[in-house]
Amino acid sequence: MTITEERGRTYGYADLPELMSLMTGDEKHGPAATSTLDVLWVLYDRVLRVSPQRVDDPERDRFLLSKGHGPMAYYAVLAAKGFLPVAWLPGFGSYDSPLGHHPDRTLVPGVEIGSGSLGHGLPIAVGTALGLRAQGRAAPRVWALIGDAELDEGSNHEAIAFAGPAGLERLHTVVVDNASASHALPGGIAARFEAAGWSAVTVDGRDHEALYAAFTAPHPGRPHVVVARVEPKSA
């Protein structure tokens, strides 16, 4: 396991609740944040080819957080991995803090997009994958993390429908399913992607080994989606 060291201290998965506890104030969107914690950790700890030293490397993997409301888990993982100072965390959401209630790519190192408005991340990821392919860059992978409620947005439907026939093999999506969507999906979330030509797998969103296996599953010629099921969002 890779653990980033900051000022003589190492941070691992067990430290994430402590790091998240440093962020206080209103509009924390706690359930939205905690639902993504395990997915984010496994991606940054074992999958993504990106580091604080490679945030501008054109060959890096791109991670796009579409589920940007309630970004406490995201900030905690970025701090644990050395992208931003832990000392920033207590200022979360304050007027002069770079850590806003929605991530800002111009203020937070390692953040690829400003997000929080539902339905934007996956279409941007599709465009990013297309752009990298047009540049002839075969190494970088594009990852987008979305919430199940975002699938109600027409922009995501269009992105899903386009990416499969376009054969965007470097595109990966993680849907964190905490049963917060307002519309039923016949056959489940994975079936919706499969119908559009995607590779799809559904796993326990708290099981790190299952997540890792799903994230690294081969899917030649097709984009790949992992549906990570977590406990339902409380009312």
Side-chain angles (χ1 to χ4, degrees), residues 130-199:
L130 284 170
L132 290 168
R133 186 162 74 178
Q135 294 172 26
R137 300 190 185 278
R141 299 169 299 182
V142 180
W143 291 81
L145 192 159
I146 70 176
D148 60 315
E150 290 190 72
L151 294 175
D152 295 346
E153 301 289 340
S155 54
N156 274 332
H157 175 77
E158 294 175 2
I160 294 166
F162 176 85
L168 295 182
E169 183 178 0
R170 309 307 287 172
L171 176 64
H172 306 74
T173 299
V174 185
V175 181
V176 174
D177 179 11
N178 64 356
S180 60
S182 58
H183 300 296
L185 300 171
I189 293 174
R192 178 174 181 178
F193 284 83
E194 288 173 330
W198 289 58
S199 165

Side-chain angles (χ1 to χ4, degrees), residues 1-231:
M1 179 182 296
T2 301
I3 300 176
T4 297
E5 183 174 353
E6 182 189 17
R7 296 180 182 177
R9 176 170 177 182
T10 59
Y11 294 92
Y13 174 75
D15 297 303
L16 296 181
E18 176 189 351
L19 294 175
M20 290 180 66
S21 74
L22 298 175
M23 292 173 273
T24 59
D26 296 332
E27 300 184 20
K28 292 198 302 182
H29 291 284
T34 56
S35 68
T36 65
L37 188 63
D38 297 273
V39 164
L40 287 166
W41 180 256
V42 174
L43 283 172
Y44 273 92
D45 191 50
R46 302 173 63 180
V47 178
L48 293 174
R49 293 186 294 238
V50 65
S51 67
Q53 296 75 35
R54 296 186 63 191
V55 293
D56 295 319
D57 184 349
E59 296 300 317
R60 72 190 184 281
D61 286 347
R62 273 72 164 173
F63 173 77
L64 282 58
L65 180 70
S66 186
K67 189 178 168 69
H69 55 292
M72 292 188 301
Y74 188 38
Y75 293 153
V77 170
L78 289 176
K81 291 299 177 183
F83 288 87
L84 58 90
V86 171
W88 285 9
L89 299 180
F92 166 70
S94 62
Y95 175 76
D96 58 351
S97 172
L99 305 183
H101 292 126
H102 295 173
D104 187 327
R105 69 179 182 85
T106 67
L107 299 177
V108 185
V111 171
E112 297 280 357
I113 60 170
S115 61
S117 182
L118 299 183
H120 289 176
L122 183 54
I124 294 173
V126 169
T128 301
L130 284 170
L132 290 168
R133 186 162 74 178
Q135 294 172 26
R137 300 190 185 278
R141 299 169 299 182
V142 180
W143 291 81
L145 192 159
I146 70 176
D148 60 315
E150 290 190 72
L151 294 175
D152 295 346
E153 301 289 340
S155 54
N156 274 332
H157 175 77
E158 294 175 2
I160 294 166
F162 176 85
L168 295 182
E169 183 178 0
R170 309 307 287 172
L171 176 64
H172 306 74
T173 299
V174 185
V175 181
V176 174
D177 179 11
N178 64 356
S180 60
S182 58
H183 300 296
L185 300 171
I189 293 174
R192 178 174 181 178
F193 284 83
E194 288 173 330
W198 289 58
S199 165
V201 61
T202 301
V203 298
D204 180 347
R206 300 299 187 192
D207 185 330
H208 290 196
E209 293 306 317
L211 286 169
Y212 177 73
F215 292 160
T216 57
H219 50 95
R222 297 190 290 169
H224 183 57
V225 63
V226 176
V227 181
R229 288 179 172 167
V230 298
E231 61 279 1

